[in-house]
Amino acid sequence: MVATIDGKILTGERDEPVMDLGSELDHRTMRQIEEQFDAVLIGAGSLRATPGLWYPAQLRRYVVSGSGNLDFSSRFFTDVPDLATVVAPPGASISWQAVLPLTDWRSTLESIVKQGVRRLLVEGGSMLNAQLLQADLVDEIFLTVAPKIKLGKDVPTIADGEPLPRKAVMRFDLISCRPVGDEVFLRYRRLAG
């Protein structure tokens, strides 16, 4: 994820393009990270907000949608149709060839693993990140801090949703911190317990 100094993950409104948040270096770094994974998982809102989004040809791609409001003509689906899957609640009306039911995240991730995925990269948005964090299913976080300020009490952060109680606040170890120009590239790993 990339966020402003004040923790916001967009510069405009929800569902507007967000490609201007991180620098060209941030975008290249994301491509390098993607090459280390078997699959990517993204929320439908994030997919809509990144027109022209593409992935390396070998990367399986999963998009989470409750409504089925997806552009099936986007590169996400057309580049390698056999590797594109919609993750949706049972009974959702999705007109795509591969649909994976979303009952609970642990079961859904187990189904993804059964498809040969060993390393899954989650690229947001804020509600998807929050759901996976809430279920304690995130082991690492890659975060770029962009030298920008957005402000706004209702502007999404890297993980929105219901707050954790103080005793359940999650701890992560800082694995690396790399300042480059005005950006900072951070990598955190989940601490057990």
Side-chain angles (χ1 to χ4, degrees):
M1 294 292 293
V2 59
T4 62
I5 295 168
D6 59 329
K8 310 306 183 187
I9 61 169
L10 50 78
T11 53
E13 301 298 322
R14 285 185 186 264
D15 290 338
E16 286 184 354
V18 295
M19 299 303 288
D20 63 336
L21 188 54
S23 68
E24 185 57 39
L25 175 61
D26 174 63
H27 296 278
R28 285 195 314 270
T29 301
M30 194 67 219
R31 291 290 171 226
Q32 291 172 344
I33 291 169
E34 288 169 351
E35 290 173 3
Q36 306 303 311
F37 287 80
D38 303 312
V40 63
L41 174 67
I42 189 169
S46 294
L47 181 58
R48 285 189 293 273
T50 48
L53 180 69
W54 64 273
Y55 291 106
Q58 78 283 359
L59 201 62
R60 285 186 154 293
R61 55 226 48 205
Y62 299 87
V63 60
V64 182
S65 177
S67 68
N69 179 17
L70 297 164
D71 179 6
F72 294 109
S73 67
S74 74
R75 291 189 67 182
F76 183 91
F77 294 102
T78 61
D79 281 358
V80 189
D82 292 344
L83 296 182
T85 301
V86 177
V87 179
S93 178
I94 308 291
S95 59
W96 184 250
Q97 61 213 24
V99 179
L100 186 63
L102 173 58
T103 49
D104 66 86
W105 276 111
R106 194 163 300 279
S107 298
T108 299
L109 292 179
E110 287 171 3
S111 295
I112 290 172
V113 167
K114 288 177 184 172
Q115 294 179 350
V117 174
R118 297 289 169 250
R119 297 189 69 191
L120 177 67
L121 178 64
V122 178
E123 293 187 355
S126 62
M127 293 308 293
L128 173 58
N129 291 345
Q131 291 168 9
L132 294 171
L133 285 162
Q134 192 88 39
D136 202 5
L137 294 170
V138 175
D139 59 355
E140 287 191 355
I141 296 174
F142 295 88
L143 176 64
T144 302
V145 179
K148 300 174 181 179
I149 297 286
K150 167 69 174 165
L151 300 178
K153 65 179 181 172
D154 296 323
V155 178
T157 65
I158 67 165
D160 290 335
E162 293 302 314
L164 296 171
R166 180 174 286 189
K167 65 182 186 303
V169 168
M170 305 174 93
R171 290 268 306 134
F172 286 77
D173 269 339
L174 180 64
I175 301 304
S176 67
C177 174
R178 188 172 60 114
V180 180
D182 293 333
E183 289 179 313
V184 181
F185 296 84
L186 303 166
R187 182 177 181 183
Y188 290 94
R189 184 167 294 140
R190 177 78 166 105
L191 285 172

